[in-house]
């Protein structure tokens, strides 16, 4: 029996076990929208298409599954672009369906036409324009496969309105066969052996691990290997949660706002084992001096990440989990004489411990309520077990520093693109994936205003995301740069016309709280974490608090400004 | 350093823009690009001439490989290859220069493919050296217009580009 393109779309989603769609309608979606009315796929209708893509992204990051969104042509599609670019920079598996004007109108500047395949070409892993209904199932199959395999990423599928109306046969392919796309999962045995030789002879090794640990599910392998050899570990922002935040071997995050211990360890190391990390400038500081005393082993599934910013000594292309497992096997078989390795590197432990003790993360406790204190309390009260998203800026860095993440996929943040407005819709997506989990968005008063409209979505679908607004009445991170590098000229960064966030929450039908003093923090937060409603907590924090340590842009990691 | 690269791609719409977009988006140099269907009609061959230091070329090759529609990338740097380009030159042909143009065209084994009372249109094929030599000699006579294809390249002898695996360079894996 023949089906319409819209029905084929739904059948294909079922074949991919997709049960949730983040969406927003328009003329071009109508065939699909209508067909979905009798489907049991849950449809979360957002308030802005950027929110739909971020929500699907939060869903994907929290659950490890592919996030799916559907938006209309033209402005619907262009509104989705920031969400797509955000996911692309952080290698998140999404499939974004955009609807398009009918094929015969494409190229005519038709009403609500946008060349979305063209617009998103540089920020998608791949994209398709479906020109014929007979290609639809194959394309959807390929789109999901490409999104989640290899180095994951967003894939866009543009479906013209006549294609979703046309009749075709539904035959879902069992296998994908793309001759030009074959990701390498298994690391080269010879390279792994070489790496282990180097490791065995190193005296000051450090793991530098990124988002690849999370996406490949390599956290356990990392912990085992680090523990077995007692190698200290630092994470990038994207890697947080991949190694327990309270583990004795954990040095904290590295980079621009990294810990003293992490940045010194990179500076002094004789061997850096980079796993699923891409040597981003915010992590490396001045590249010429990054790990300048160290040999570098780099494990990554994406060959383009290797030797892009920094020339490495032993590259290993492969899946992080797979490669770390092989390394662990070698250690366990004791082939390379790892017998007394931990005692051989005892001096190194001594050094890293001393750095940790001498310069722990800290902040002044005088005067006004400190944002860092709030994060510490959130961490304590949730036992480090909540799913935490962030916006971008100081709120994000303080969360990365002071919330001790225990498990992968519990920290959700826009690392690569640094998208303000990400955290709240992403939190909504995470809450959809885990309805019973405590989901918290740590926000700034600037960022929250970028997708504040999604509060209506949270209320409509009963998604009790807690938004904790660290309200400093400033675009704080930019203000911090102005303070340090522009003689405190706070041009554009005063946010003295923000709305009353408590009233905003109430107006949307959500709960609103305000915290002004330290002694209110625990009481209010406890209540908030118990309630089952979407909630804004407006926390009035010290307006001019800054994030430290800080490595000025372009400086080497050891040149940290401390508190 | 200058590199000639062959890129085998799916013969589908949109692939050229992905390749071109990659070069512009990442600030890679593109000196010439030549593309047409290959022996297998489902595949197009692109010949790209680019330049950059070793690190940049390494990125160019890897980034090309990363594109989903790219089947195979070959850098001709370390292989023996032949390469040819074609140029069409419209030259002023006056009474006193006509002979000279014809003579030159013959020496370079080119062809006059169009004639008007005031111009000759000459076609020359050859490697880069030959073409630039011809252009240098003909320039004083007055070139009115010039169109070049950019080079296309192929390995010498019985070698061909093997299609089996995508990564031509096992660089990372030792
Ligand atoms: C969409 C977007 N626009 C601009 C920026 C630049 N930017 C980075 S941090 C920041 C300030 C964020 O202010 P706020 O949300 O109040 O957080 P705070 O730094 O005060 O915690 C800005 C404007 C950005 N990251 N994203």
């Amino acid at each position: 029996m023949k089906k319409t393109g819209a029905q084929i779309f739904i059948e294909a989603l079922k074949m991919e076990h997709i049960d949730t769609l983040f969406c927003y309608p328009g003329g071009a979606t109508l065939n699909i929208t209508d067909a979905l009315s009798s489907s049991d796929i849950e449809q979360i209708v957002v308030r802005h298409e950027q929110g739909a893509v971020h929500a699907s992204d939060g869903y994907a990051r929290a659950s490890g599954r592919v996030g799916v969104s559907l938006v209309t042509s033209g402005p619907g599609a262009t509104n989705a672009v920031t969400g797509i670019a955000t996911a692309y920079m952080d290698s998140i598996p999404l499939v974004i369906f955009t609807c398009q004007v009918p094929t015969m109108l494409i190229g005519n500047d038709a009403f609500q036409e946008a060349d979305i395949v063209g617009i998103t070409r540089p920020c998608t892993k791949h994209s398709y324009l479906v020109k014929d209904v007979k290609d639809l199932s194959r394309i959807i199959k390929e789109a999901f496969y490409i999104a989640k395999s290899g180095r994951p990423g967003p894939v866009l599928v543009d479906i013209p309105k006549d294609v979703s109306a046309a009749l075709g046969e539904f035959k879902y392919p069992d296998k994908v066969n793309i001759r030009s796309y074959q990701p390498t999962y298994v690391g080269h045995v010879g390279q792994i052996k070489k790496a282990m030789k180097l490791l065995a002879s190193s005296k000051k090794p450090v793991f530098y691990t990124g988002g690849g640990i999370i996406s490949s599910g390599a956290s356990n392998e990392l912990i085992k290997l680090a523990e077995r050899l007692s190698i200290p570990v630092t994470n990038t922002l994207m890697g947080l949660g991949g190694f327990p935040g309270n583990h004795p071997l954990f040095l904290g995050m590295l980079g621009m706002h990294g810990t003293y211990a992490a940045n010194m360890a990179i500076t002094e190391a004789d061997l850096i084992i980079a796993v699923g990390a891409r040597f981003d400038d915010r992590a490396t500081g001045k590249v010429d001096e990054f790990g300048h005393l160290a040999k570098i082993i780099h494990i990554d599934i994406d060959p383009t990440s290797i030797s892009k910013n920094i020339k490495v000594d032993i590259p290993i292309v492969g899946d992080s989990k797979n490669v770390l497992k092989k390394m662990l096997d070698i250690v366990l078989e004791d082939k390379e004489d790892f017998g007394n390795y931990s005692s051989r590197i005892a001096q190194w432990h001594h050094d890293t411990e001393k750095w940790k003790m001498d310069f722990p993360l800290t902040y002044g406790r005088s005067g006004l309520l400190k944002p860092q204190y709030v994060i510490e309390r959130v961490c304590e009260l949730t036992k480090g077990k909540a799913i935490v998203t962030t916006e971008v800026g100081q709120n994000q860095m303080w969360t990365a520093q002071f919330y001790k993440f225990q498990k992968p996929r519990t920290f959700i943040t826009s690392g690569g693109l640094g998208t303000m407005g990400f955290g709240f819709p992403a939190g909504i997506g995470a809450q959809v994936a885990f309805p019973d989990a405590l989901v918290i968005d740590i926000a700034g008063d600037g960022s929250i205003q970028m997708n504040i409209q999604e509060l209506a979505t949270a209320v409509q679908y009963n998604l009790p995301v807690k938004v904790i607004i660290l309200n400093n009445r400033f675009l704080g991170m930019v203000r911090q740069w102005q303070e340090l590098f522009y003689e405190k000229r706070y041009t554009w960064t005063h946010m003295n016309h923000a709305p009353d966030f408590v009233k905003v929450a109430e107006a949307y039908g959500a709960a609103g709280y305000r915290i002004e003093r330290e002694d209110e923090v625990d009481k209010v937060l406890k209540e908030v974490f118990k309630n089952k409603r979407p909630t804004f907590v407006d926390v009035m924090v010290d307006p001019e608090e800054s994030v430290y340590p800080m490595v000025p842009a372009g400086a080497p990691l050891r040149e940290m400004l401390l508190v | 350093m200058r590199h000639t690269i062959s890129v085998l791609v799916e013969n589908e719409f949109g692939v050229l823009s992905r390749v071109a977009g990659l070069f512009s988006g990442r600030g890679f140099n593109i000196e010439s690009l030549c593309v047409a269907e290959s022996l297998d009609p489902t595949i197009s061959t692109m010949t790209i001439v680019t330049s950059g230091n070793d690190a940049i070329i390494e990125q160019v090759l890897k980034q090309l490989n990363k594109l989903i529609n790219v089947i195979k990338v070959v850098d001709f740097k370390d292989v023996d290859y032949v390469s040819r380009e074609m140029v069409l030159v419209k030259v002023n042909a006056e009474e006193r220069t006509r002979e000279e143009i014809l003579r030159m065209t013959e020496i370079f084994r080119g062809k006059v493919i169009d004639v008007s009372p005031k111009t000759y249109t000459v076609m020359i094929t050859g490697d880069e050296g030959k073409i630039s030599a011809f252009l240098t000699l003909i320039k004083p006579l007055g070139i009115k217009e010039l169109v070049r294809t950019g080079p296309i390249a192929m390995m010498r002898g019985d070698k061909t580009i093997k299609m089996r695996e995508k990564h031509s360079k096992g660089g990372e894996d030792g």
Side-chain angles (χ1 to χ4, degrees), chain B residues 7 62 68 102 121 159 174:
Chain B
V7 189
K62 286 173 165 180
I68 306 286
L102 289 179
T121 299
K159 286 211 201 85

Side-chain angles (χ1 to χ4, degrees), chain A residues 396-416:
Chain A
Q396 178 184 36
M397 291 300 119
W398 284 321
T399 307
Q401 292 179 332
F402 289 95
Y403 196 99
K404 306 297 172 202
F405 293 95
Q406 304 303 315
K407 290 255 147 58
R409 304 196 176 282
T410 56
F411 178 51
I412 296 176
T413 197
S414 167

Side-chain angles (χ1 to χ4, degrees), chain A residues 222-224 226-228 230-233 243-252 353 356 404-406:
Chain A
L222 173 65
I223 296 169
K224 279 192 200 144
E227 282 180 349
R228 176 83 196 189
S230 59
I231 298 175
V233 177
F243 196 79
N246 55 355
H247 196 289
L249 288 168
F250 191 53
L251 300 170
E353 275 312 303
K356 281 206 248 178
K404 306 297 172 202
F405 293 95
Q406 304 303 315

